[in-house]
Amino acid sequence: MARVVVDVMLKSEILDPQGQAVQRALPRLGFAGIADVRQGKRFELEVEGPVDDAALGRIREMAETFLANTVIEDFTVRVDS
Amino acid sequence: MTARIGVVTFPGTLDDRDTQRAVRLAGAEPVSLWHRDKDLQQVDAVVLPGGFSYGDYLRAGAISRFSPVMESVIAGAKDGLPVLGICNGFQVLTESHLLPGAMLRNNHLHFICRDQKLRVENAATVWTADYEAGQEISIPLKNIDGRYVADEHTLDELEAEGRVVFRYADWNPNGSLRDIAGITNAAGNVVGLMPHPEHAVEPLIGTGRTDGLGFFTSILRKLVNT
């Protein structure tokens, strides 16, 4: 079965306090040199049948209407090989 | 004749009973609506109450928005049905695109539960007519995803059209843009806000104030007079 990955990230202009909290914790844990952290979501979709243009089109529609809120988030769709 | 006001229960809704009680105290008849039922039972208005519908999975309100009852609420709202979204209900309304913008995690990442002072900016909506513009009220606030955001253009438009209905007064509890606590749609029939008027309707409980009762008397007066 083919896997399609949808990554959802807050738009760059949207404040991400969770990412900031992670970034601030890093020096305390001994991880230096990380200037910024943005936290997002990754969806792994196990697709029945062929991952053709039609299937990817449906997945993009799914991402746009449901997996991401495009008011605040951007998404990417890719086939995981 | 009194008005019948529907109160939706999703799995994970917490404040449906308090909302029904507030509706009753205002003198209207509460009608319980179930998330899987498309039938709005010919109610005159709908309240989407607070809670954690569908566990807030994915995003707060994101799954509720696709429930059968919301199909009817969205269609009704577009035809002028008065709809009030409180807290999680506000999140459902933004996810449904009945109201612009979106709700995000509080900027300090803490769940907040306090009495919150609000300024009524728009007392002309069907849900705020019993208040006066500029009036300050104090009602409970309890959430973790209360930070209202929208792009600059949308914020300018909301302000220019008088669609910011409530702003946080004294202190912004979540980092919401332009101190916005509640907004309305262009037609004025759909209102959403983060704080909880239904928890401030009886002198016996909470702070002893009844500042939230006006939401429910406003809509009742509007419905009975038309």
Side-chain angles (χ1 to χ4, degrees), chain A residues 3 5-7 9 14 18 20 26-27 29 32-33 36-37 40 44 47 55 59 61 75 77-78:
Chain A
R3 172 178 290 176
V5 175
V6 180
D7 285 311
M9 292 298 296
I14 303 279
Q18 294 182 97
Q20 287 179 342
L26 293 175
L29 302 175
D36 191 26
V37 174
E44 297 182 347
V47 181
I59 288 170
E61 188 188 337
F75 67 88
V77 175
R78 65 187 160 84

Side-chain angles (χ1 to χ4, degrees), chain B residues 142-155:
Chain B
K142 45 164 195 164
N143 63 63
I144 193 165
D145 290 313
R147 175 167 50 109
Y148 179 77
V149 299
D151 61 50
E152 288 294 307
H153 172 76
T154 303
L155 294 169

Side-chain angles (χ1 to χ4, degrees), chain B residues 122-132 214-215 218-219 221-222:
Chain B
N122 178 343
T125 80
V126 294
W127 296 98
T128 55
D130 279 359
Y131 297 100
E132 281 169 29
F215 283 76
S218 293
I219 188 65
R221 193 186 312 275
K222 167 74 183 168

Side-chain angles (χ1 to χ4, degrees), chain B residues 169-202:
Chain B
D170 295 347
W171 182 64
N172 182 329
N174 48 39
S176 74
L177 296 180
R178 304 195 193 179
D179 299 332
I180 288 174
I183 57 172
T184 184
N185 63 343
N189 61 310
V190 179
V191 169
L193 81 165
M194 286 316 293
H196 290 263
E198 80 284 11
H199 292 329
V201 294
E202 285 177 290

